[in-house]
Amino acid sequence: MKKTTIALLAAISFSSTASLAAYPDKDIQGVIMWGAGGSTDTVMRSVAPYAEEALGTDLILSNKSGGVGAISMKYVNKKKADGYTLLMGAENPQMHKVLGLSNIDYSDMVPVAILARGVPMMVARNDAPYNTMQEFIDYVKAHPGEVKIGSTGKGGLPSIIMAMIDSQVKLDYINIPYKGDGPALTALQGNAIDVMPAVLGATKEQIKAGRMKAIGLIDNQANPMLPNVAPITDTLPGLNSYLPWGPFFGVFVRKGTPDQVVNTLTRAFSSAGEREEFTSMMSNRGYSVMNIAGQEAVDFLDTYRSVSSWLVYKAGVGKFSPEKFGIQKP
Amino acid sequence: MDALNYFAMSWLSPELLALTALGTFLGIYVGAIPGLSVTMAVSILISFTFSWDVNNALCLMVGVYMGGVYGGSRTAILLNIPGAPSAIATALDGYPLAKKGLAGEAIGLSTVMSVVGGFIGILVLALAAPSIADFAITFQPRDYMMLGILGIMLVGSLSGSSLAKGIFAGAFGLLIGTVGLDPMTADERFTFGIIELWDGINPVAVMIGLFGISEALHQLQHMDKAVIKQKISRIIPRLSDVKKYLPLSVRTSFIGVIVGALPGTGGDIAALMAYDHAKRSTKEPDVEFGKGAKEGLIAPESANNAAVGGAYIPMLTLGIPGDAVTAVFIGALFIHGLNPGPLLMVEQPHMFWFTVGNLTLANIFILIFGLTGIKLFSKIVECPKGILIPLIFLLSIVGAYAINNAITDIWWMLAFGVFGYFMRLYGFPVGPVILGVILSSLTDENWRRAILTERGSVIDLFVHLFTSPLSIVLFMTIVLILFTKTPLWSKVVKPKLFPNDA
Amino acid sequence: MSSHEPTPKTRKPGERVFCLLLVIGSVYLFWQAYQIAGFSELSSAGAFPMATAATMILAACFIFVNTLKRPANQNAHFFTHCFPPIVAIIMALILVYAVVLESLGFILSSFVFLFTTIQFLYRRRVLTTLAISLFALIMVYIVFRLIFQVVLPEGIIPERDIIASITALWR
């Protein structure tokens, strides 16, 4: 009995080392954090074919939404650390610890590649009586409790942007939460809300068509995609320490995945991320291509986590202090 | 003239024609298999058609979309398992028809009426897209809330003999719909600390359980009963039937287009509203509703296919998805370098007419594929129960898993299967539960948004309601429907207004 | 659907208990709904769930009282007419199937499930059952796993390696 067990174990370990040598020798499963049709889904489905080419194997993509991303995190971290299960996610898990949603975030995983980042900004309905951040702030101050600002619930991108602004100037407004930025931006066009913090990717076409207007860029420098919109630091210089900041899309594997495998994956995804078709598609959609990996990616993830966690915590939304998880102040 | 050229593009190129046909054919099967959703199929096709020319890719995807919406009726009629939530209402009268041996006739009629609905949807899209899109986005939270309430009032139509049991089932469905992390405040609702419950209970899992599993469990009691021989002599419906039901089909198609064009509602709600409309407007049905009334089959089928054209209206004109599938289409257009948005019709004018032409083509293919092979399909019902029932269980389990690649959905599906078994046993209708699940977030969220907009004042909400004509119309409709349920109406007003009707 | 049958004059065995359970369940759910946010604001997360749970309680009480009024059907027995052994057995089989699905994997557990239930319900020769279950399983696998790329639980059978080695034959 003992002999067979040992033989079996040997066989298993042999087969796993054998497969390591030839990684990848079978299909790789890519778990997408959000549902079909979402921005994460589109980005991942458009980078995957190039990564497949570079890897020489099939990437089988499946959507596993739920728990603001926590379900897919949990799923991938339960699989073997062999590089055959990838997590294709967005920024959300970085705040899970502070919000008390989950005890794992990206610091507990290995980044394969951070592909791109969204450009956060503020849009207002077309006939709103303000055109810049300063005018907006003055208007809200003059009309307390009248301006309706859309959001996507606690911990969502709009809530962090509003927490940023709130850290500099106190505003009294009505917060109307929507299920996502899509429905909220539709409501903005129907005048159900007045202002919405969003990413450029979701608003670009509507701004171009003159159906809504950009009143501010949540960045510390102007963006070539929106040359006429001033960065928010012009109005609120105190935000300099938080910026640049923005939601991102990345590919991750479980901690403990052999370096050799991570390197193979990183090479494949960076070559995919450099493809002209991909970069032009992304900038066309209003995303900044980043394509970073290794220590650079880890640093970026840490900065994002520290800014968002502290802002959310200070705004009174977070359940736990970022200090509890050793998250540095920005 | 340009428009016509673009319209005919997919008709004249053999390659595009073949791809549309293939897509429609695949779509019918995707739609028919519960758990495989059109949304999922179309996003898989994004990766699959990645390197293709955009027109080729679109033809395949449009075909899958059109075919998929239609295909949901197949399993609803044959096995009482709606392939998708938009086919729930179809099962209510379609399955009783199959039980009578009329599956072939039911599928034939539903195919023809789906196609009629599809054409009306496309026609409205082609002729009035910009104005309808502008109208659709003016819906305020309070209007969506009232739409939700209108929907909830359909419980009356789905309840059968006991209204109390229907109300219980409907309220239960609404409550199930609230399970999970509240999307507005992130409060946990009925999650009992289980992370798998954060995203709520998937309506498709509830649907497969309540309809499929519970029906199959019931069938187990009658294993000895001989299977129903299907009469397959008539498949193409009688011309007299088509003529008779055409007005109903046209009316419900318009319900479908409008509800489909609203960014917050889709084919599932449209189909249920159409069913309700059929029940209200049919004075003397040949067969009672719920026992195989053809009106109850035609109305939802016309409406859900018309909703496809409706969903395209805000997508093509404004870049706002009308439903989950058009959201994926928007992603696909981006990937192919087009910019779906308000300028799409200016920058890529061919896109609009190409899509209209392509949708029309897919609709014709539905007619062709829908009316062929029915004989083979009807045989499914004749399959020995000893084989059919295990297969239904297997398909239900795989289907529930496929929704979100999660075992949890299987558990919910089974739980609702067992609960549904007892509900049926003791005369509770299961339809209202699904209705509740579908309408829950629409009503809950928009009620709260409406009240937040008024800073928590119900009085302000009520007063402001009368500042918008749309809100007034919706409000009056609700009041009128409620009023027709009161004794005052049936005893005093109705006899005076309609003396011959009694 | 059984929804349009006229309300029976008598009550079925177990109906009283079922309706009572509905009342208790509704009260429990109302309590849970109250826990979300209490009676704070009309726009709170708990307002709508509380309203629906309250409706459930009212409807369930009404149904329960009505059920009590009706006389029991003397000829029916719970375990023959309402919950016969065959239903219980099949429910148990499905339950076992769902439990082992993830650990054993889709292919193995589904095959065993199909084979057992078809053999139990259809009662033909073992070879016939074997053929039917294998055919059905292969069809489902092709449609879900290969065409629509639903990654079904793999369990103990190394599917991906098998697929890889099969496709390697072509390359």
Side-chain angles (χ1 to χ4, degrees):
Chain A
M1 182 62 210
K2 211 173 186 180
K3 251 183 196 166
T4 41
T5 322
I6 291 168
L8 212 68
L9 280 174
I12 290 168
S13 59
F14 175 72
S15 68
S16 65
T17 41
S19 66
L20 183 77
Y23 179 89
D25 68 346
K26 57 181 178 183
D27 292 352
I28 298 172
Q29 188 188 2
V31 180
I32 300 174
M33 188 174 279
W34 290 99
S39 51
T40 315
D41 184 60
T42 334
V43 170
M44 294 309 168
R45 285 187 193 273
S46 50
V47 77
Y50 302 126
E52 270 180 348
E53 234 172 72
L55 286 165
T57 185
D58 279 346
L59 263 175
I60 298 180
L61 303 182
S62 39
N63 301 91
K64 208 171 175 65
S65 57
V68 211
I71 304 247
S72 54
M73 289 283 278
K74 210 169 129 182
Y75 177 83
V76 173
N77 279 293
K78 254 200 304 200
K79 293 277 161 174
K80 266 189 242 154
D82 57 2
Y84 284 103
T85 317
L86 312 180
L87 177 73
M88 309 181 126
E91 72 284 356
N92 316 73
Q94 290 302 67
M95 300 211 311
H96 281 177
K97 285 184 177 167
V98 181
L99 291 173
L101 293 180
S102 163
N103 51 12
I104 41 175
D105 59 23
Y106 288 138
S107 64
D108 306 296
M109 297 187 79
V110 182
V112 167
I114 309 285
L115 295 166
R117 155 177 107 80
V119 181
M121 59 182 305
M122 299 278 275
V123 282
R125 71 185 158 85
N126 249 346
D127 44 358
Y130 32 79
N131 293 312
T132 63
M133 265 332 269
Q134 191 58 53
E135 285 170 27
F136 163 69
I137 290 168
D138 295 342
Y139 184 87
V140 180
K141 276 184 178 159
H143 302 83
E146 273 181 33
V147 177
K148 288 171 283 201
I149 301 183
S151 73
T152 55
K154 277 177 201 166
L157 171 102
S159 75
I160 302 175
I161 293 178
M162 289 319 288
M164 265 185 206
I165 295 173
D166 195 64
S167 72
Q168 308 296 313
V169 47
K170 295 276 173 252
L171 298 176
D172 179 17
Y173 60 90
I174 307 176
N175 169 30
I176 308 211
Y178 282 83
K179 231 176 193 160
D181 56 354
L185 290 166
T186 305
L188 185 82
Q189 292 175 66
N191 288 349
I193 53 174
D194 303 307
V195 173
M196 175 75 194
V199 285
L200 177 61
T203 56
K204 196 171 171 240
E205 288 302 310
Q206 323 286 340
I207 295 171
K208 211 164 84 187
R211 294 189 71 90
M212 52 179 76
K213 58 188 178 189
I215 56 172
L217 202 63
I218 312 296
D219 210 335
N220 51 7
Q221 50 189 2
N223 192 299
M225 283 187 269
L226 275 177
N228 301 323
V229 182
I232 193 169
T233 41
D234 288 3
T235 317
L236 303 170
L239 287 181
N240 244 320
S241 60
Y242 295 127
L243 300 168
W245 168 95
F248 57 87
F249 306 105
V251 180
F252 303 83
V253 287
R254 208 185 132 173
K255 222 170 210 174
T257 305
D259 288 345
Q260 190 194 342
V261 171
V262 176
N263 289 339
T264 310
L265 283 168
T266 298
R267 267 199 307 277
F269 275 95
S270 8
S271 75
E274 274 164 18
R275 290 284 282 259
E276 211 275 317
E277 296 95 325
F278 179 72
T279 52
S280 69
M281 195 279 290
M282 288 307 279
S283 51
N284 196 16
R285 273 206 85 167
Y287 293 108
S288 299
V289 176
M290 296 180 72
N291 210 358
I292 54 170
Q295 193 54 42
E296 201 184 350
V298 173
D299 292 343
F300 172 80
L301 291 169
D302 278 349
T303 314
Y304 182 92
R305 186 171 72 149
S306 110
V307 168
S308 312
S309 300
W310 279 103
L311 275 172
V312 163
Y313 179 67
K314 276 184 200 152
V317 180
K319 231 180 205 166
F320 303 111
S321 162
E323 251 163 7
K324 185 175 170 222
F325 311 102
I327 300 173
Q328 305 269 312
K329 277 194 188 185
Chain B
M1 210 52 223
D2 268 359
L4 198 65
N5 268 339
Y6 294 134
F7 182 88
M9 218 163 127
S10 52
W11 298 56
L12 301 176
S13 143
E15 196 184 0
L16 296 180
L17 194 77
L19 282 170
T20 313
L22 178 71
T24 315
F25 185 76
L26 278 176
I28 294 177
Y29 289 90
V30 169
I33 300 172
L36 285 188
S37 67
V38 179
T39 322
M40 189 177 113
V42 175
S43 37
I44 290 172
L45 284 180
I46 288 190
S47 335
F48 186 72
T49 60
F50 192 73
S51 51
W52 296 16
D53 178 65
V54 61
N55 291 347
N56 294 12
L58 280 179
C59 280
L60 194 62
M61 290 197 255
V62 164
V64 169
Y65 185 17
M66 256 316 199
V69 171
Y70 158 75
S73 67
R74 279 286 163 95
T75 29
I77 294 170
L78 293 172
L79 302 170
N80 201 30
I81 312 177
S86 61
I88 289 164
T90 313
L92 299 180
D93 278 288
Y95 184 61
L97 278 169
K99 268 191 179 163
K100 288 181 187 167
L102 300 173
E105 201 181 334
I107 296 180
L109 195 62
S110 73
T111 308
V112 172
M113 292 313 187
S114 291
V115 171
V116 169
F119 276 131
I120 292 177
I122 297 165
L123 201 69
V124 175
L125 168 69
L127 299 179
S131 43
I132 291 191
D134 283 335
F135 168 68
I137 61 166
T138 58
F139 270 63
Q140 300 293 308
R142 61 166 178 265
D143 303 322
Y144 275 113
M145 175 192 90
M146 286 193 281
L147 214 57
I149 294 173
L150 267 177
I152 292 170
M153 291 191 334
L154 308 186
V155 164
S157 288
L158 302 177
S159 287
S161 57
S162 165
L163 185 62
K165 288 179 178 173
I167 290 176
F168 177 84
F172 182 51
L174 288 171
L175 190 126
I176 294 167
T178 64
V179 171
L181 281 192
D182 170 29
M184 298 174 70
T185 60
D187 282 324
E188 293 189 32
R189 305 200 279 192
F190 307 106
T191 54
F192 308 100
I194 304 165
I195 172 176
E196 276 76 14
L197 271 176
W198 281 356
D199 232 25
I201 302 171
N202 194 294
V204 178
V206 179
M207 183 185 85
I208 300 176
L210 282 182
F211 280 79
I213 295 279
S214 77
E215 173 67 27
L217 286 172
H218 260 269
Q219 298 266 333
L220 284 173
Q221 297 188 33
H222 312 291
M223 286 300 291
D224 43 346
K225 227 196 228 171
V227 287
I228 313 129
K229 268 271 168 252
Q230 292 292 330
K231 303 178 199 106
I232 38 174
S233 51
R234 175 158 294 283
I235 283 166
I236 297 172
R238 291 182 198 87
L239 198 63
S240 62
D241 263 10
V242 176
K243 266 190 193 156
K244 183 179 167 198
Y245 298 123
L246 197 61
L248 174 70
S249 172
V250 171
R251 287 198 309 271
T252 49
S253 298
F254 279 104
I255 297 180
V257 185
I258 300 297
V259 177
L262 294 176
T265 52
D268 44 1
I269 295 178
L272 285 162
M273 288 194 157
Y275 183 82
D276 181 64
H277 172 79
K279 211 171 166 184
R280 277 178 210 284
S281 63
T282 311
K283 292 281 172 338
E284 282 158 8
D286 298 334
V287 185
E288 235 183 284
F289 275 88
K291 292 200 168 160
K294 286 179 185 162
E295 290 89 349
L297 176 70
I298 289 160
E301 277 308 296
S302 308
N304 66 23
N305 279 71
V308 174
Y312 266 102
I313 290 176
M315 180 211 144
L316 286 175
T317 52
L318 301 175
I320 295 170
D323 66 358
V325 185
T326 37
V328 181
F329 269 96
I330 288 183
L333 290 182
F334 266 122
I335 288 179
H336 284 283
L338 299 170
N339 291 332
L343 293 179
L344 184 73
M345 285 176 79
V346 182
E347 289 171 350
Q348 312 275 349
H350 72 278
M351 222 38 240
F352 183 80
W353 289 106
F354 173 72
T355 306
V356 170
N358 201 210
L359 283 166
T360 317
L361 188 63
N363 212 24
I364 293 171
F365 279 121
I366 289 182
L367 196 64
I368 296 169
F369 294 133
L371 291 180
T372 48
I374 292 185
K375 284 185 188 174
L376 196 71
F377 263 102
S378 307
K379 292 275 180 213
I380 293 179
V381 192
E382 287 182 17
C383 176
K385 280 183 185 165
I387 300 174
L388 188 61
I389 293 178
L391 284 181
I392 290 180
F393 288 137
L394 179 73
L395 266 183
S396 301
I397 288 196
V398 182
Y401 182 82
I403 304 167
N404 197 20
N405 302 307
I407 296 276
T408 335
D409 287 325
I410 297 182
W411 291 113
W412 285 114
M413 193 262 316
L414 291 179
F416 280 100
V418 174
F419 187 66
Y421 174 84
F422 285 104
M423 281 182 72
R424 279 163 195 263
L425 187 64
Y426 298 127
F428 284 79
V430 295
V433 181
I434 300 284
L435 178 82
V437 177
I438 291 175
L439 292 169
S440 183
S441 64
L442 178 75
T443 320
D444 173 32
E445 287 170 24
N446 285 300
W447 150 253
R448 285 158 64 195
R449 265 173 224 137
I451 203 89
L452 279 172
T453 310
E454 309 293 348
R455 301 221 107 182
S457 159
V458 182
I459 298 158
D460 281 355
L461 178 66
F462 192 72
V463 172
H464 286 156
L465 206 133
F466 291 96
T467 55
S468 140
L470 176 65
S471 306
I472 296 174
V473 170
L474 284 168
F475 183 70
M476 292 319 281
T477 315
I478 293 175
V479 171
L480 202 69
I481 292 178
L482 282 179
F483 181 63
T484 55
K485 296 272 181 235
T486 59
L488 184 69
W489 162 264
S490 48
K491 294 216 173 80
V492 183
V493 185
K494 197 181 173 195
K496 275 186 188 163
L497 280 177
F498 309 100
N500 307 326
D501 221 51
Chain C
M1 282 204 21
S2 55
S3 61
H4 285 254
E5 284 156 21
T7 315
K9 299 267 173 345
T10 54
R11 88 179 119 79
K12 288 183 177 170
E15 192 167 354
R16 236 179 350 184
V17 180
F18 183 72
C19 293
L20 183 65
L21 285 177
L22 292 186
V23 175
I24 297 170
S26 308
V27 172
Y28 174 71
L29 287 175
F30 184 82
W31 171 243
Q32 285 293 323
Y34 174 75
Q35 301 272 303
I36 298 171
F39 290 100
S40 54
E41 283 165 65
L42 281 172
S43 63
S44 77
F48 188 75
M50 274 207 301
T52 53
T55 316
M56 281 170 67
I57 296 178
L58 288 179
C61 288
F62 181 82
I63 298 162
F64 180 59
V65 171
N66 265 355
T67 312
L68 287 182
K69 283 184 197 157
R70 280 184 279 134
N73 184 344
Q74 300 299 333
N75 303 321
H77 298 280
F78 186 70
F79 286 108
T80 47
H81 293 92
C82 296
F83 194 63
I86 186 167
V87 177
I89 293 171
I90 295 291
M91 273 188 194
L93 279 174
I94 303 175
L95 192 75
V96 172
Y97 174 37
V99 169
V100 299
L101 180 63
E102 198 153 34
S103 48
L104 284 188
F106 170 76
I107 297 182
L108 203 60
S109 57
S110 303
F111 175 72
V112 174
F113 173 77
L114 268 185
F115 183 80
T116 325
T117 39
I118 294 178
Q119 187 65 29
F120 176 62
L121 295 173
Y122 193 49
R123 296 176 195 278
R124 295 296 140 92
R125 284 186 309 147
V126 173
L127 223 58
T128 320
T129 313
L130 201 69
I132 298 171
S133 355
L134 268 181
F135 177 73
L137 194 62
I138 292 171
M139 290 307 287
V140 169
Y141 191 81
I142 289 175
V143 170
F144 280 87
R145 178 63 176 81
L146 301 183
I147 300 182
F148 290 103
Q149 308 203 328
V150 175
V151 181
L152 298 158
E154 285 171 358
I156 49 176
I157 297 180
E159 270 171 54
R160 272 198 250 180
D161 298 292
I162 296 171
I163 295 176
S165 52
I166 291 175
T167 44
L169 293 179
W170 266 270
R171 278 177 190 162

